Amino acid sequence: MPVKFEVNGKPVSVDVEPRLTLADCLRHHLRLTGTHVGCEHGVCGACTVLVDGDAVRSCLMLAVQAEGAKVVTVEGLSNDDDLTPLQKSFRKHHALQCGFCTPGFITTAHALLTEEPDCDADRVREVLSGNICRCTGYIAIVEAVLDARSAYKKTTP
Amino acid sequence: MKNTFIGASIERREDLRFLRGRGIYVDDLTVPGLLYAVILRSSVAHGRLKSVDTSAALKIPGVHAVITAKDMNFTDYPAGVPIVPMRLQPLPEFKPFEQPVIAYDKVRYVGEPIAVVLASSVAVGEDALEHIAVEIEDLPPVATWRAAQKNESILFEPTGTNRSLMFEARKGDADTAFRDAPYTRRENLRTGRHYGLTMEPRGVMAEWDAAKNKLTVSGAAKVPFFNRRILAKQIGLAESDIEMIENDVGGGYGARGEFYPEDFLIPFAAKHINRPVKWIEDRRENLMAMNHARETEADLEIACNRDGTIIGVRGDVHTDMGAYMRTNGAVGARNAPQFMTGPYRVPHHKVDSHLWMTNKTPVGTYRGPGRFEGCFYMERLLDMVAADLGIDRVEMRRRNLISKAEHPYKLATAQPTNAHDQTDSGDYHATLDLCLKEFGWSEKSKLGGKLVGGKYHGVGVACFIEGGAAGPKESARLEINRDSTITVFMGTSSVGQGVETIYAQIAADALEVPIERIRHVYHGSTNTVSDGYGAYHSRSVVMGGSAVLVATEKFMATLRQAAGKRLGCAESSVTLDVDKVVAGGFSLPLGEFAGLTAESAFLNHKHTYSYGSHATHITVDAKLGHIEILDYLVVQDVGRAINPLTLRGQVIGSLVQGLGGAVLEDLKYDEQAQFLTGTLADYLLPLASDFPNLRCIVTDDHPSPINPLGAKGAGEGGIVAAGGCMANAVANALQSFGVQPRALPLSPTYIWELVQAGQQKAAE
C-alpha cells in the first residue's frame, strides 16, 4: 500500500504492508535506525518520534496512518557540525549510558520544551515517565532537560 | 606534559553518536540476502515433546526453512543437539542440568525454543509460527522451590533429584559458637524474581562464508571470546573460523551477552541455509528467555553477644534456579550465602545454599548477584537484633563493621568450588559516618515511626561491600595510525558504561598526550586483541584499565626501540611529544611508525572491594501500602575514581535498579508455572516519576592495593544495599504496627497485608 509523508523535512514515498508499524517503516524501509524499538507495546517510549509536532510512539502507529504527516526523528533533531543545546545538556549531565533509550528521551524532551520551555522539575518527570531508561536512574536526565530549557525560551523583543 | 585526565569528569566520546541516533546496535545491521529468524517457544512449562510438524508452515510464501532438533546431528552430543556449557563454576555435578540449544525430548519452561522459522521478513515468520503443530504431553509442573524439594515431579529424571547442587559457605565453627551464644534469632527471608532487563532486547546476526569457511556473528556482548570458544566447539569449527563482532550494546547488567540457546541457533541457521540470518528478540520473548535472577528464600539464624557483636550466622538459602543451569547460573546461589555478611566481622559462618530446579526461565547473574539478596538478609537481621538487644541501629553496625586495620579480612569460603575471598582495603566506619552526616541522620531519625500528614515516616540504613575485578587476566593493545594518532584495542566489552572514554583517559595519562590523540578505542570483538575476557563482575576499569597501563609501557618500549634505531639515538632518549617522536634533536611524525603495535595483559587473581553505606528517609501510606522516598543517599568509596561523572552515573543507575527490585519488580508464575508477567505493564520498572530524591557521594580515599590504578569495581554498589535499606526503613516507619518486612518486593499489597496482620495481632 503506497504512503507518502515527510520525514525530517524531506518527502518520502514508500509501499508498505498495511500492518507495518511506523517504527519498522522508519527503521527498515527508510533506514533511519536512530529510532529504537524496545517493547513494541507502547510502554518503553524508545521509539518516540514527532508526528506533526506531537511526541508519538511509532510502535503504536501504523506507517499508513502517517499519510500526509510531518514526521521528525532523532536524526532530524541533529546536525553534523555540533550537538544541539539539548544534546549538549544530556552529555554534560551524563544523562545517557548505553544510549538505546536516548533517542526517545531526546524526541520527548524536545516536544515538551518546545511547548513548555518554562516547565518545572515535576512536569519534566511527569512527561518523561512515559519513557523507560534502565541505566541512568533518571536523575541526570531530568537535570539535563531542565538545564536545556533556556535554549527553547523565545527571546522577547 | 603531565596529564590529569584520570580523576576528571570528562564528557563521554560515545555520546556524540548516541545522542544523534547514530549508534549502531545489532538490529541496525542489514546485509543483502538477509533472512529473519523467529523462534517458536514452548507454551507449556513441563512436558514431553512428542512431535513438531512444520509442513504447513513451510508452505507459507516467504518461509525458507523451519529448523528443529531433527536438523541437528552433532555427534559430540548424545542426542545430536548441542548443549550450552557453564562458563563459571563448570562442575561435573551441573552437567546433567545444562540446556540443550533446542528442545528435543522435553520442554522445561515456558519460553524454551522448539523451532526456528527462517523467513523473508519477521512478520511472515511470525505468521508461520501459528502453523507449526506441536504435540506436548503434559507433565506435572514444578512451580516453586518447595515443590522441587518434594522430588515428586523431576525435571531431569536420570538424576533422580531436582537439586542440582548444594554450596557450603563456611568459616570458623558455627555449631559450637551457636551452642555457647548468649543470644540467637532465626528468620525466614525472601527476595523476588528479577532480571537484568536491557532496553535493547537481545539480537544476533550471523553470516556464513562457505568459500572462506568463515562465520561472522554480530551482536556479541559481555564475553565474546568465551562465547566464541563455546560456539566453535558446538558447531565444529576452529575458533579462528569465527569472528564475534560487538556492536553498540543497549545495556548488560550481567544478563546480556552470556551464551544463550539463540547464540547457537542463529549461526547454525545461517550455516544450514547458507544465507545471512538475523534474529531480534521481542520484549515478551526477552521477559521469558533472558536469564532471570534473585528468587531466594533463606532460613537464617544469627548469634550475637549481648553488646551486639556478631558471633556467627548459619542456616540455609534456597534458590529457584529455573529449568536449566545456564552459563553463570550458579553465581548468585553461591554469592548469597558466601557474601551475605558483607562489610561485617562474622567469625563463624555456616550457610548451605540449595539450587532447586523448577519449570521457570533459567537464572543467571543480575548486577550484584547474590549480594543484593545476602545484604537484604543481613541488614534485616541486624535491625531486628538491635531492637531485641536495645542497641541503636547505627551503633549495632559500628560495632560490627570490619575495621581499617583488619584488611585483608577473610570472608567465608564456598565449597565445593573452594572459593576463597577477602577484602582489600578501606575505612568502612568513615564511610558510614560520612553517609549519616550528609544524610542528616540525627535529625531525620527522630521522625521514625511518626505519623505526619497521614503518612508514617521511616529511616533505614544499610552497609555493603561490592566485589569487583575478576581475573584471571585482561588484554589491551595500542597501535599507531598513519595520521599520527593512536588506537587502543581492548579485550573487554562495552555494555554502555562508557569504557571508550575511560580507557582514553587512562591511555592519554600514561602516554602523556592530549586525549584526542587516542583517536579510537575498540573493544568487545574477537579481532581486537589475541585473547580477551569481557565485562562482568565490575572489572572493566580495574582489569581493562590496568591492561591499558601495562600495554602503554610495552608500547613505549617498542616505540623507543624502533625510533632509537631509526634516528640512531639511544632508546632511553626517545620521547613521545603529542604527534611526534623526538630524540637527540631529531623529530619524526608518529605516523612514520604506523602499524607499530604492542599488546600486553594484566594478570590478577584477587578481588577489589569498594564499599559504602546507604541511608533512606521514606513515608509509607499504611492504607494504600504506597512508599515514597523523601531522601536517599549512597556513599561509596571506590579506591580511585577515573571519571567521577560516569562513576556517579553507575552509582545512581544501579541504585534505581535496586529500588526497582526493592519495591516494584517481580517475575510471576502461576501454580502451573505459566508465566504471568510477559509485558512491561506487568513487570514494573522504575520510571522518572518514581524516585526523584536520590543522591550519591563517591570518595576515593583508600586505593586498592591489588592493581596499579588503585581502582575498585564500582558498578554494583548502588544496587546491593537497596533492598535491605528500604525494608529497614519500612519497618522503622510502621513500628507502631509491629511490621517487619521479610520479603521483597515491598509492593503495596505486601505492605498492606503486613499492616493488616499487625493490626489484627494488636486487637487479639
Side-chain angles (χ1 to χ4, degrees), chain A residues 19 27-28 31 33-34 36-41 43-44 74-75 78-83 87 90-94 96-103 106 125 128-129 132-139, chain B residues 11-13 15-16 18-22 25 27-28 30 123 127 195 197 199-201 249-251 253 282-283 366 495-496 645-646 649-650 652-653 656-657 665 679-680 685-689 691-692:
Chain A
R19 63 177 172 176
R27 289 181 49 75
H28 301 304
R31 297 299 302 156
T33 54
H36 295 156
V37 175
C39 74
E40 294 178 276
H41 52 266
V43 180
C44 83
V74 67
E75 289 94 340
S78 309
N79 58 65
D80 286 338
D81 304 333
D82 201 1
L83 297 179
Q87 290 165 337
F90 266 63
R91 190 174 185 221
K92 176 182 156 196
H93 290 276
H94 188 38
L96 66 157
Q97 290 182 26
C98 80
F100 192 78
C101 70
T102 306
I106 291 286
R125 287 190 172 275
L128 294 186
S129 70
I132 297 176
C133 169
R134 191 64 161 158
C135 293
T136 64
Y138 304 105
I139 302 290
Chain B
E11 293 182 1
R12 300 197 320 169
R13 47 177 66 193
D15 296 354
L16 297 174
F18 293 155
L19 283 163
R20 291 187 273 201
R22 294 173 184 173
Y25 302 83
D27 190 34
D28 302 338
T30 188
D127 290 345
Y195 85 120
L197 179 152
M199 289 317 297
E200 182 202 13
V249 174
Y253 324 124
D282 70 24
R283 184 55 66 188
Y366 170 33
V495 285
L645 182 67
T646 62
Q650 288 295 313
I652 293 291
V656 172
Q657 288 187 341
E665 298 175 38
T679 76
L680 296 186
L685 296 166
L687 303 175
S689 48
F691 308 117

Side-chain angles (χ1 to χ4, degrees), chain B residues 150-376:
Chain B
K150 290 181 188 156
N151 279 332
E152 288 168 3
S153 179
I154 291 183
L155 272 72
F156 302 84
E157 286 98 343
T159 65
T161 176
N162 285 322
R163 192 175 72 173
S164 62
L165 192 80
M166 183 176 83
F167 280 112
E168 298 178 353
R170 295 288 186 271
K171 187 180 172 183
D173 179 0
D175 288 336
T176 305
F178 268 79
R179 201 174 51 222
D180 303 334
Y183 166 87
T184 63
R185 178 162 179 147
R186 186 171 168 178
E187 285 294 333
N188 180 280
L189 299 159
R190 285 178 289 130
T191 49
R193 196 174 189 86
H194 311 157
Y195 85 120
L197 179 152
T198 54
M199 289 317 297
E200 182 202 13
R202 292 176 304 142
V204 181
M205 186 173 87
E207 299 162 82
W208 171 241
D209 185 332
K212 292 182 181 156
N213 207 50
K214 176 101 195 213
L215 183 62
T216 305
V217 182
S218 301
K222 187 175 182 180
V223 284
F225 287 88
F226 192 90
N227 287 358
R228 180 169 70 168
R229 283 201 282 283
I230 296 180
L231 180 60
K233 184 173 181 300
Q234 287 176 333
I235 209 163
L237 289 170
E239 274 182 56
S240 54
D241 296 337
I242 302 174
E243 198 96 88
M244 307 287 277
I245 304 295
E246 181 200 48
N247 312 98
D248 285 321
V249 174
Y253 324 124
R256 191 193 184 93
E258 288 296 330
F259 200 101
Y260 288 89
E262 298 86 355
D263 292 289
F264 172 83
L265 292 172
I266 306 309
F268 171 77
K271 197 160 173 279
H272 183 77
I273 200 163
N274 199 19
R275 278 181 70 166
V277 174
K278 184 165 80 172
W279 167 73
I280 301 295
E281 187 177 54
D282 70 24
R283 184 55 66 188
R284 185 167 170 274
E285 282 186 288
N286 179 258
L287 279 149
M288 62 171 65
M290 205 176 194
N291 288 339
H292 286 184
R294 296 266 200 269
E295 188 178 5
T296 64
E297 180 166 345
D299 179 12
L300 293 168
E301 204 176 359
I302 185 167
C304 295
N305 290 309
R306 290 277 160 203
D307 66 357
T309 52
I310 301 165
I311 297 169
V313 292
R314 68 176 177 185
D316 297 273
V317 174
H318 302 274
T319 301
D320 186 322
M321 300 299 297
Y324 294 100
M325 291 304 304
R326 279 193 175 165
T327 50
N328 59 8
V331 174
R334 185 205 59 189
N335 286 1
Q338 188 183 8
F339 301 126
M340 63 167 283
T341 53
Y344 302 108
R345 185 189 312 104
V346 178
H348 302 284
H349 186 136
K350 181 188 178 190
V351 183
D352 293 337
S353 175
H354 310 263
L355 283 66
W356 297 106
M357 309 310 292
T358 64
N359 291 117
K360 298 182 187 170
T361 299
V363 305
T365 61
Y366 170 33
R367 206 172 196 172
R371 297 177 193 269
F372 174 92
E373 300 90 309
C375 185
F376 169 71

Side-chain angles (χ1 to χ4, degrees), chain B residues 47 57 86 119-120 164 182 195 220 255 282 345 348 387 397 435 444 485 510 533 535 571 600 643 691 761:
Chain B
M86 291 183 73
S120 55
S164 62
Y195 85 120
D282 70 24
R345 185 189 312 104
H348 302 284
R397 286 167 174 82
C435 179
K444 283 175 177 153
T485 61
Y533 281 78
E571 286 179 22
S600 192
N643 186 328
F691 308 117
K761 206 171 167 192

